[in-house]
Amino acid sequence: MAPTGYLLLLLQLFCVSLGLSVDSKELVDTKVTNCSSVKPIFVPKNISNNVPDFPVDGSRLSICRSRHSCCTPDMEDALHTRVRRDFQSLLHHSSQTVQGLLYTTATTLQNHVTLLARSSENKTLTLFSEAYPRMFTVAHEPISSLYRSLLVYVNRSDPSLQVPSSIPSGDAGRLQQLVLDFFAKLFPLVYHQAVNLHAMDFTEEYKVCLRKAFPEILPFSDFPREIALDIAKTFEETKVLLEALLLGADILNTTDQLMASTSSSGLDNCYEALLRLHYCPRCQGLPVSIKPCNGYCLNVMRGCLTQQRAHELDLPWNNFLSETERLVRQTREHSGVEGVLRTLTNRISDAIMYASINGPLIEKKVKKLCGGAKLVAGSATSRQPDQRLAGPDASVELPGVTVSSVARGYRERYPDSPLGAQLQLFLDAVTSTHARGFYANLADSLCSDESFAETRDTADCWNGLRVGEYTKTLVRPGVDAQKYNPELTWTESEPDPKIGQLSDKLRHMRQVVLSQLSQTNQLMSDSFVRGEEGSGSGHSPHWESDDDDGSRDTWNEEGSGSGNGDLEETSEVVPGVNQPSPKNTNSKPTSHAVTLSAPCLLTLVLLLSLPLARWH
């Protein structure tokens, strides 16, 4: 044989022996003598019916290779499938706390508003039954229709009233129209029973004329417009918050399913790494007390999550959650929808009272626009004693509710209500549940679970080959860093388009929330300006109370800048003579119902002259 042939033969033998040597080094031996400690782990998972009692040859395994193993090749295949489901459960477990927080807050918000609306409806119906019985039967339908429409809006049952695709929302206009339509339907009833009382009913044509003339006559002063603005603002705010909370929970749930989907491409390396991380130590007979090293866990989880591009949701998620927190805080501090619903009955009563005590002026306008009352012959109704309220401070005691002409509770806050408590819990829990940075820190959250991995540096942990310290490089999150991940072979791939769709949903919802915050702030600012410019002008009647409980003073000190009521202090209204007419931008300057008496005029001149004298 030629010398060259001998050299080639020797080289081949050296390579074979080197290969065997390297292969033998890879076959780790944990010195396990029996499989009794891991058999209870595999049996409940239905991995195999034939878990060996004693170690078998582990060199035939493809991933969890060792000299002696408690796993057979069939068991390893089953574990490879099982680890995918385990990963999905692990992701769901990590996010279910935040999901639960979002769902619970949304449910509490929806249920509380529903209860408040039903309670307010019952109070309003009771008011009409006891204080305005002549109107109760006919007013029942428009009252119920108003509250029903508000609940349909909040409960997302009407496809025509959804969180808008356009920003800002157009729902405010619809909500305002609901309230204005309610008062327009109420006007013929109030005019017939509280202003122009007749034994005969109005003809339908006359009622239509009254409803059409409602915007010009303004029989209820500015009450309908202000109530409509408040309901539109608070209910739209509530709806946007509800949609934001539900969207956040849906995003988390969808991401869980997406990242654990068996159809996801490029995840074979991930599942193999997860198998080595979680099940290979059990195949080597190590008990559950031996958990993966923290650094080892972080490298595997960061590689898997980055491969699926979950980190791309982090920025839109954080921005969305930040603005949602602001909306939650605003809703809690202002108690907007709660304050509106708790006082809506009082404000409707105030509107009817205004029409009652300003009957002559309203009747004059009606005759000008619709002519004299047109009655239906033979429609006599049972006449009852005149039940007009005696004065602005009059109140009607009803079963379970006191209706007064002063809506004292309107500017109160309800931080201790079930809704206020849940909103505060949400704000506190956002930090404790690590909801911020959820996707960027997801790997850290998973590996900080003591039941899954070691949470501190130790040598008594599974490092991927044996029990010992993990000494490999710990890579940062992100695509660029994963190229150097020692536990996974990085494969460049396009992100799942569904991740991009979820990001777009979060960005859009954030813009809707921002628009809502901007609208609310603008309404509050405009309301404050109106209060500064119109103080004492009679923009909206404010009847004083004789109570000494200080509620009126607190109300007035807060002013009209909250956007909730814009009620301003005016002179006390007394039925009969000297009735001030509320400021109406649509009315001519000469159409006042009263003139100031000489003493009042003199007092006003003196009050106005004092600041001027002091300034000079």
Side-chain angles (χ1 to χ4, degrees):
M1 183 179 292
T4 304
Y6 283 113
L7 290 176
L8 289 175
L9 178 61
L10 290 174
L11 182 60
Q12 290 174 355
L13 291 173
F14 174 76
C15 290
V16 169
S17 63
L18 180 62
L20 292 174
S21 176
V22 172
D23 185 64
S24 64
K25 288 182 180 180
E26 289 181 350
L27 296 177
V28 181
D29 189 358
T30 57
K31 308 298 182 182
V32 60
T33 58
N34 63 76
C35 300
S36 59
S37 62
V38 297
K39 198 168 184 178
I41 300 174
F42 291 134
V43 171
K45 295 179 181 292
N46 296 321
I47 299 301
S48 174
N49 294 326
N50 299 311
V51 179
D53 294 321
F54 299 97
V56 297
D57 181 13
S59 62
R60 296 178 299 161
L61 304 180
S62 59
I63 299 174
C64 300
R65 303 184 69 213
S66 61
R67 289 183 181 276
H68 303 96
S69 175
C70 291
C71 292
T72 63
D74 290 340
M75 289 177 61
E76 188 182 52
D77 290 341
L79 289 172
H80 196 276
T81 302
R82 176 77 189 194
V83 77
R84 298 187 181 195
R85 297 198 300 269
D86 290 347
F87 186 51
Q88 182 177 11
S89 299
L90 189 65
L91 291 174
H92 180 68
H93 175 72
S94 67
S95 65
Q96 66 180 352
T97 302
V98 182
Q99 282 188 55
L101 176 65
L102 292 164
Y103 275 130
T104 301
T105 305
T107 301
T108 302
L109 174 62
Q110 195 170 40
N111 291 344
H112 191 63
V113 171
T114 300
L115 290 174
L116 285 172
R118 288 174 177 168
S119 175
S120 179
E121 180 181 3
N122 290 335
K123 289 180 180 179
T124 304
L125 291 172
T126 303
L127 165 70
F128 275 79
S129 175
E130 298 291 336
Y132 311 113
R134 296 193 300 270
M135 288 185 278
F136 174 71
T137 302
V138 187
H140 190 287
E141 192 282 327
I143 292 172
S144 298
S145 177
L146 171 64
Y147 284 99
R148 185 168 55 251
S149 298
L150 294 177
L151 286 178
V152 164
Y153 176 77
V154 172
N155 292 327
R156 309 164 65 194
S157 301
D158 186 352
S160 66
L161 290 174
Q162 294 291 333
V163 168
S165 57
S166 60
I167 302 172
S169 166
D171 286 348
R174 294 186 179 188
L175 289 168
Q176 289 180 46
Q177 196 59 48
L178 284 175
V179 179
L180 296 178
D181 288 346
F182 162 73
F183 279 100
K185 293 177 183 177
L186 198 62
F187 174 42
L189 307 179
V190 174
Y191 184 68
H192 183 268
Q193 300 293 344
V195 177
N196 195 320
L197 184 59
H198 289 277
M200 307 293 183
D201 193 12
F202 291 146
T203 63
E204 187 59 34
E205 292 78 10
Y206 196 69
K207 293 177 183 178
V208 171
C209 182
L210 290 175
R211 286 193 289 267
K212 289 183 177 179
F214 167 77
E216 187 172 352
I217 295 174
L218 292 177
F220 304 116
S221 183
D222 284 340
F223 282 106
R225 182 186 61 83
E226 292 178 349
I227 293 173
L229 287 172
D230 291 333
I231 284 180
K233 176 177 70 68
T234 57
F235 270 79
E236 190 179 24
E237 177 183 85
T238 302
K239 179 69 174 291
V240 169
L241 177 56
L242 181 63
E243 292 290 346
L245 294 169
L246 292 174
L247 175 70
D250 288 341
I251 291 290
L252 291 171
N253 184 57
T254 303
T255 308
D256 287 353
Q257 298 174 3
L258 181 63
M259 290 193 295
S261 173
T262 56
S263 61
S264 300
S265 59
L267 294 181
D268 290 340
N269 286 339
C270 169
Y271 294 132
E272 290 181 4
L274 288 170
L275 183 59
R276 284 193 297 270
L277 176 77
H278 192 60
Y279 283 119
C280 284
R282 308 305 157 232
C283 287
Q284 293 196 15
L286 298 176
V288 292
S289 59
I290 301 299
K291 294 175 287 189
C293 300
N294 185 258
Y296 178 36
C297 177
L298 286 172
N299 275 344
V300 172
M301 288 301 176
R302 287 174 180 174
C304 284
L305 295 173
T306 305
Q307 186 73 51
Q308 294 166 312
R309 304 297 180 93
H311 69 285
E312 295 185 6
L313 287 171
D314 191 61
L315 182 59
W317 169 263
N318 288 341
N319 290 337
F320 154 78
L321 186 61
S322 176
E323 304 307 333
T324 301
E325 281 185 88
R326 287 180 57 198
L327 189 56
V328 167
R329 190 173 293 107
Q330 174 177 284
T331 301
R332 182 181 183 277
E333 291 176 354
H334 295 167
S335 301
V337 70
E338 188 156 10
V340 166
L341 287 175
R342 285 183 184 272
T343 59
L344 184 53
T345 300
N346 288 6
R347 300 174 79 188
I348 292 174
S349 179
D350 286 349
I352 297 174
M353 179 186 295
Y354 175 86
S356 177
I357 64 178
N358 287 276
L361 176 61
I362 296 172
E363 193 166 13
K364 182 178 179 181
K365 292 182 178 180
V366 168
K367 289 181 178 179
K368 180 180 178 181
L369 296 172
C370 295
K374 295 178 179 61
L375 306 176
V376 178
S379 63
T381 59
S382 58
R383 292 185 62 99
Q384 301 181 18
D386 194 341
Q387 297 182 15
R388 299 182 194 178
L389 297 179
D393 293 323
S395 62
V396 181
E397 295 294 334
L398 304 179
V401 59
T402 299
V403 179
S404 172
S405 62
V406 181
R408 294 184 183 84
Y410 184 58
R411 291 181 181 272
E412 292 180 3
R413 302 293 181 257
Y414 307 95
D416 298 327
S417 70
L419 177 58
Q422 179 60 41
L423 294 180
Q424 185 59 50
L425 175 63
F426 174 87
L427 295 172
D428 296 338
V430 164
T431 301
S432 62
T433 58
H434 306 289
R436 297 190 196 93
F438 175 80
Y439 290 99
N441 301 320
L442 183 55
D444 298 74
S445 298
L446 295 174
C447 295
S448 64
D449 187 346
E450 293 183 353
S451 65
F452 182 74
E454 288 290 349
T455 58
R456 55 186 177 82
D457 293 332
T458 177
D460 297 326
C461 59
W462 171 251
N463 63 16
L465 291 175
R466 59 182 63 83
V467 175
E469 184 180 1
Y470 186 74
T471 58
K472 296 181 181 179
T473 302
L474 181 62
V475 298
R476 296 176 293 100
V479 174
D480 295 337
Q482 297 314 306
K483 298 175 182 179
Y484 309 102
N485 194 323
E487 303 302 338
L488 285 85
T489 302
W490 175 257
T491 55
E492 192 68 35
S493 62
E494 292 295 325
D496 193 312
K498 293 180 180 178
I499 293 290
Q501 294 171 9
L502 295 178
S503 297
D504 290 341
K505 287 183 178 181
L506 288 169
R507 292 188 182 97
H508 174 71
M509 193 68 238
R510 174 178 180 255
Q511 291 301 319
V512 173
V513 173
L514 277 172
S515 175
Q516 182 59 47
L517 289 167
S518 176
Q519 288 181 42
T520 301
N521 292 334
Q522 183 62 42
L523 283 170
M524 291 174 62
S525 176
D526 292 346
S527 177
F528 178 77
V529 171
R530 289 200 305 269
E532 288 294 309
E533 292 178 348
S535 179
S537 66
H539 165 267
S540 187
H542 174 187
W543 294 300
E544 300 218 5
S545 170
D546 294 330
D547 294 346
D548 294 327
D549 58 4
S551 60
R552 179 179 61 81
D553 294 337
T554 303
W555 186 15
N556 290 336
E557 286 173 4
E558 291 181 3
S560 60
S562 70
N564 289 336
D566 307 332
L567 296 180
E568 300 164 3
E569 186 172 356
T570 67
S571 302
E572 184 175 80
V573 179
V574 179
V577 297
N578 297 337
Q579 296 176 1
S581 175
K583 183 178 178 181
N584 176 15
T585 55
N586 296 326
S587 302
K588 295 181 180 180
T590 58
S591 60
H592 293 285
V594 302
T595 56
L596 291 173
S597 63
C600 291
L601 184 59
L602 179 60
T603 302
L604 180 62
V605 171
L606 289 174
L607 289 174
L608 292 174
S609 63
L610 285 175
L612 292 175
R614 186 179 303 163
W615 182 72
H616 284 293

